[in-house]
Amino acid sequence: MDLFNNICTGDTYKMLIGGKWVKSSSKATQDVYSPIDNAVIAKVQRATVKDADKAVKAAYDARDKIGKMPAVDRAKMLTEIGELIYDYFDLFVDLIIEDAGKPKNVAKGEVTATAERFKYAAEEAKQITGESMLGDTVPWHKEKVGMVMRQPLGVVLAISPFNYPLFIASAKIAPALAAGNSVVCKPASSDPLAVMYLARLIQEAGIPDGAFNVITGSGGEIGDFLSGDKRVRMISFTGSSSVGERIAKIAVFQKLHLELGGKAPALVLADADLNIAAKQCISGAYKFSGQRCDAISRILVEKKVADRFVKKLLVEAKKWKMGDPAEAGVKIGPLIDARAVAKVDSLVKDAKKKGAKVLLGGKEAGGNYYEPTMLDKVTTKMKIAWEETFGPVAAVIRVKDYEEAISIANQSEFGLDASVFTQDVDKALDAGMQLEDGTVNINAAPAHGIGNFPFGGDKDSGMDREGIKFSVDEMTKVHTIVFNPKK
Ligand code: NAP
């Protein structure tokens, strides 16, 4: 793999700053572990504030190189990045399996969605338009004519979480470049490797030096500096609500896009197709071991169908095989680390202590594994009804009726995604209007594909919406030129 020769020496990766692959200024590195067996699989640079400053400076100095690049050239570059990702498809799949512990099929889906997102962003780069306006709404400037256009912001800081190590970083990078911004990307420390390879492909596709930079290291050490740097004009952050809140307090004059935690409810109404609902609820709860912001983590089922539904849910749950994520047929791999396992276990134990019925699993399974778990008779007194689980747990709350389901769903501090299972179109529309979540999915688990629909949350789930068109809009600013013709 000659193309990737310069990104690492042995198993130690460098960072991309100003078009060069470099070591951290302190020479410090940090280990990257595989969640499958906790083996150290690589080392990455531990960037210091000095390195973060260099990366922002490189992006700032290069902002015109990409900002003034014609849309047709940016589009060509983005298409090329998408194609290169397909050329190295298996490499990315293997990286995501090893680095994030993601089952093979889910890893394949992530790589495909990433390549397509770049290609889609290429189309969007050519759709950035403006408008002209007359000033004749009042008598005293009726001759004026305004040209309103969208311009790039400058430097976009992209901070991404562990759970979609390639896709979420790309969901920020692709529209940022499409809109003509330069980028500093900081991937999660748990699984940064896929972004390092992506960075090399972005270089290969012809990005000007400095217009795309990647720094690795502890978010806790360099995050405050990056968030407060005024050369950064937008921070696009995906991660926990607590870190999002910290960034928001520091970033006073920067545009913010925050994609934070979630606690998606699935409302299973008495008239639902229970077979579809059971399949979708389990897939929504268990996919990537529930380590998704949009995971279904509260199943609110109407009492009159609860017994029948729970039986079907259990049949579906038992189909999810746990094991080595690289093995065909395995659908549940490890959680990202021991801390994640302990968190899931504490929520399950709290629920058990307060009377929940364990119908499946319910305990640690060695290493970073947690058994696929199903809890029935969960109540609102239990922590698992409110806190992010981020583990393979299907938690069933039996509700009196539709109104109670809506009420419990909306009491959450989160407001990212929801699902409603019903065959009554009026109920579906009513629930769609009443639920306080960014997206309401009718008769399916939340799934966001490559980003044609806007995606994002309200309340503690964040602000603004991601998606190709929506992100490009957010990542540009309105610029106006007003003509004052001679009378
Ligand atoms: P996290 O701990 O908040 O970390 C996310 C990123 O922020 C990492 O790159 C992290 O770097 C960095 N970071 C840490 N402290 C920082 C600081 N003070 N300033 C700036 N950056 C800092 O989240 P995670 O555990 O990786 O991901 C899981 C969370 O992400 C869940 O809450 C999940 O719901 C949320 N999520 C939301 C969405 C969405 O679209 N709404 C999608 C996916 C995930 P280090 O890794 O070096 O600490």
Side-chain angles (χ1 to χ4, degrees):
M1 298 270 184
D2 288 350
L3 181 64
F4 300 109
N5 274 349
N6 54 345
I7 76 173
C8 55
T9 310
D11 64 353
T12 305
Y13 286 76
K14 297 177 188 156
M15 307 184 283
L16 179 64
I17 300 180
K20 295 198 167 58
W21 288 88
V22 297
K23 293 184 177 166
S24 119
S25 54
S26 68
K27 306 279 182 286
T29 59
Q30 62 188 39
D31 292 339
V32 179
Y33 299 88
S34 171
I36 300 171
D37 54 6
N38 289 325
V40 176
I41 53 172
K43 291 177 190 305
V44 291
Q45 303 300 316
R46 194 174 181 97
T48 59
V49 165
K50 195 168 157 193
D51 300 316
D53 179 52
K54 275 190 199 157
V56 175
K57 181 173 185 317
Y60 186 78
D61 291 347
R63 68 195 190 288
D64 275 356
K65 288 194 215 161
I66 179 128
K68 298 206 165 121
M69 186 189 271
V72 62
D73 295 342
R74 297 201 304 275
K76 202 165 150 237
M77 185 178 72
L78 289 159
T79 304
E80 175 72 10
I81 296 168
E83 276 163 13
L84 283 166
I85 292 170
Y86 277 127
D87 289 347
Y88 292 95
F89 190 86
D90 291 343
L91 174 127
F92 281 110
V93 170
D94 291 345
L95 272 172
I96 293 172
I97 295 171
E98 194 181 20
D99 206 6
K102 199 166 265 198
K104 196 168 197 164
N105 269 344
V106 194
K108 282 183 176 173
E110 178 167 352
V111 180
T112 305
T114 305
E116 291 301 321
R117 189 122 179 176
F118 274 101
K119 291 183 162 198
Y120 198 163
E123 291 170 35
E124 211 51 55
K126 294 194 246 175
Q127 307 296 327
I128 302 169
T129 56
E131 59 184 314
S132 61
M133 300 170 75
L134 300 179
D136 60 355
T137 48
V138 284
W140 54 90
H141 61 47
K142 56 180 192 266
E143 288 81 20
K144 288 178 193 269
V145 180
M147 277 171 62
V148 182
M149 61 193 81
R150 299 201 79 92
Q151 290 186 334
L153 296 171
V155 180
V156 170
L157 171 64
I159 304 180
S160 54
F162 80 84
N163 60 341
Y164 286 86
L166 181 65
F167 179 76
I168 291 183
S170 301
K172 303 174 181 315
I173 297 164
L177 298 180
N181 297 290
S182 58
V183 175
V184 175
C185 177
K186 153 63 186 103
S189 293
S190 323
D191 49 12
L193 301 185
V195 168
M196 312 312 282
Y197 285 84
L198 172 69
R200 183 68 194 91
L201 298 188
I202 293 176
Q203 266 192 307
E204 186 64 12
I207 189 101
D209 286 351
F212 180 70
N213 308 272
V214 178
I215 49 173
T216 47
S218 159
E221 284 172 24
I222 56 175
D224 286 1
F225 169 81
L226 288 166
S227 309
D229 192 316
K230 292 211 179 101
R231 291 168 297 182
V232 170
R233 299 314 308 142
M234 177 179 186
I235 303 172
S236 180
F237 171 81
T238 300
S240 58
S241 299
S242 57
V243 173
E245 188 172 338
R246 184 180 179 97
I247 290 173
K249 282 183 179 149
I250 297 171
V252 181
F253 290 118
Q254 288 99 326
K255 254 184 148 175
L256 276 185
H257 176 96
L258 301 175
E259 292 281 356
L260 310 177
K263 188 76 192 167
L267 280 61
V268 180
L269 307 187
D271 72 335
D273 179 323
L274 296 183
N275 293 323
I276 292 178
K279 210 179 184 58
Q280 289 291 315
C281 284
I282 287 297
S283 153
Y286 286 178
K287 190 171 161 197
F288 190 34
S289 301
Q291 298 177 109
R292 299 174 358 264
C293 53
D294 61 357
I296 289 183
S297 56
R298 301 179 284 159
I299 302 170
L300 302 159
V301 57
E302 279 195 78
K303 261 191 186 127
K304 47 186 138 161
V305 292
D307 285 341
R308 266 198 306 137
F309 176 66
V310 164
K311 268 191 206 142
K312 289 178 188 288
L313 209 53
L314 194 55
V315 170
E316 288 301 325
K318 286 182 177 163
K319 293 180 186 164
W320 285 64
K321 186 177 160 201
M322 182 173 70
D324 179 346
E327 231 176 70
V330 165
K331 290 169 99 179
I332 302 255
L335 298 187
I336 194 69
D337 55 25
R339 215 163 49 129
V341 176
K343 164 80 181 171
V344 176
D345 197 45
S346 78
L347 291 177
V348 171
K349 281 192 175 130
D350 173 76
K352 276 201 272 191
K353 202 171 80 193
K354 292 176 183 161
K357 246 175 105 185
V358 182
L359 299 184
L360 186 71
K363 45 185 194 319
E364 298 183 23
N368 295 323
Y369 282 82
Y370 201 86
E371 291 179 347
T373 295
M374 202 177 134
L375 301 178
D376 191 9
K377 306 208 168 148
V378 168
T379 71
T380 52
K381 301 250 174 338
M382 301 170 190
K383 288 187 193 165
I384 202 156
W386 307 113
E387 292 181 24
E388 245 192 329
T389 313
F390 249 58
V393 183
V396 177
I397 303 178
R398 295 172 177 234
V399 293
K400 193 166 73 220
D401 52 21
Y402 170 68
E403 283 71 28
E404 192 185 22
I406 295 278
S407 160
I408 294 176
N410 282 346
Q411 281 167 44
S412 172
E413 70 199 54
F414 297 111
L416 187 60
D417 267 292
S419 291
V420 180
F421 295 90
T422 176
Q423 298 186 79
D424 178 338
V425 72
D426 294 332
K427 276 251 172 78
L429 183 59
D430 188 67
M433 302 293 277
Q434 286 204 56
L435 287 166
E436 297 166 357
D437 300 281
T439 309
V440 179
N441 303 273
I442 310 299
N443 291 324
H448 295 281
I450 66 164
N452 45 328
F453 298 119
F455 170 53
D458 300 320
K459 302 194 269 186
D460 286 11
S461 289
M463 48 200 273
D464 278 328
R465 298 293 181 263
E466 208 157 59
I468 313 272
K469 175 183 175 309
F470 299 90
S471 297
V472 169
D473 266 1
E474 276 191 356
M475 290 174 171
T476 49
K477 62 183 177 186
V478 171
H479 186 76
T480 310
I481 301 171
V482 181
F483 284 84
N484 294 277
K486 278 189 204 155
K487 285 192 195 148

